[in-house]
Amino acid sequence: ANARFEAAVALANEGKAAEAAAAFDALAKDAPPGYAALARLRAAETRPDRVQALAELHAIAEDAKSKILLVPHMNESQVAAYDLSADLK
């Protein structure tokens, strides 16, 4: 899972948002829980459609398991976006 996550991060860093989102989506479906949770967050982050991205962040905020796994790994802007999505309930 680590190699696949790093490959998806590399795609995102290269500006290949659609490919990165697809790679993160695949990880979110079949990776171990920690990687899956991080992949869900990164998939939303790479979406060109900001409305869809915010909806995905909202879904992540609703998922208690994701919150436990994600918050310790988020940077400041990700925590702010996560908090914003939780406030939109």
Side-chain angles (χ1 to χ4, degrees), residues 32-62:
Y35 279 103
L38 291 171
R40 285 178 69 194
L41 181 66
R42 290 300 306 264
E45 183 178 73
T46 59
R47 299 268 184 241
D49 180 342
R50 303 321 295 163
V51 173
Q52 181 182 356
L54 191 55
E56 290 178 21
L57 288 171
H58 181 70
I60 293 167
E62 292 289 317

Side-chain angles (χ1 to χ4, degrees), residues 14-86:
E14 293 168 7
K16 299 177 181 178
E19 292 175 48
F24 286 125
D25 286 339
L27 269 167
K29 291 179 184 171
D30 63 16
Y35 279 103
L38 291 171
R40 285 178 69 194
L41 181 66
R42 290 300 306 264
E45 183 178 73
T46 59
R47 299 268 184 241
D49 180 342
R50 303 321 295 163
V51 173
Q52 181 182 356
L54 191 55
E56 290 178 21
L57 288 171
H58 181 70
I60 293 167
E62 292 289 317
D63 183 353
K65 287 187 274 185
S66 289
K67 187 171 186 176
I68 291 168
L69 292 168
L70 286 173
V71 172
H73 302 285
M74 291 180 177
N75 65 37
E76 187 175 314
S77 64
Q78 290 168 326
V79 170
Y82 187 90
D83 288 343
L84 173 63
S85 69

